[in-house]
Amino acid sequence: MKRKEFNEEEIKRIEENPNVTSATRKAITFHPDFKLAAIKEHERGKLPYEIFLSHGFDLELIGKDKPKKYIHK
């Protein structure tokens, strides 16, 4: 499967989320506070997609399979 690349408009939308420190065509860098919160929520049983949705991420934009990959990374 080909990796999704973000265009300039998508990068701008992604970077509007306070849980993101930066985004490029191929990657999203998450704020350290979000990373810690996401791991804690996952350890308490919350599903990756629920974590991302509750923190304001658009799964249609970043990819529906990405939350699981990002959490386990």
Side-chain angles (χ1 to χ4, degrees):
M1 176 184 262
K2 186 177 180 192
R3 187 176 194 176
K4 176 175 175 43
E5 288 192 14
F6 303 111
N7 63 38
E8 292 302 317
E9 181 181 322
E10 292 170 327
I11 291 170
K12 184 179 176 184
R13 286 180 49 208
I14 292 166
E15 288 181 333
E16 289 174 353
N17 187 310
N19 298 299
V20 173
T21 56
S22 66
T24 65
R25 294 186 73 73
K26 295 184 178 184
I28 300 171
T29 303
F30 300 99
H31 191 281
D33 292 340
F34 170 70
K35 290 179 185 181
L36 183 59
I39 295 302
K40 287 181 179 180
E41 290 176 32
H42 189 254
E43 287 174 347
R44 284 186 244 133
K46 200 168 187 182
L47 297 172
Y49 80 91
E50 293 173 322
I51 296 166
F52 274 70
L53 286 175
S54 69
H55 287 274
F57 287 95
D58 179 348
L59 299 185
E60 294 293 327
L61 175 60
I62 66 169
K64 292 181 180 182
D65 62 326
K66 296 301 182 192
K68 185 175 181 180
K69 290 179 181 178
Y70 290 137
I71 293 291
H72 293 302
K73 189 175 178 181

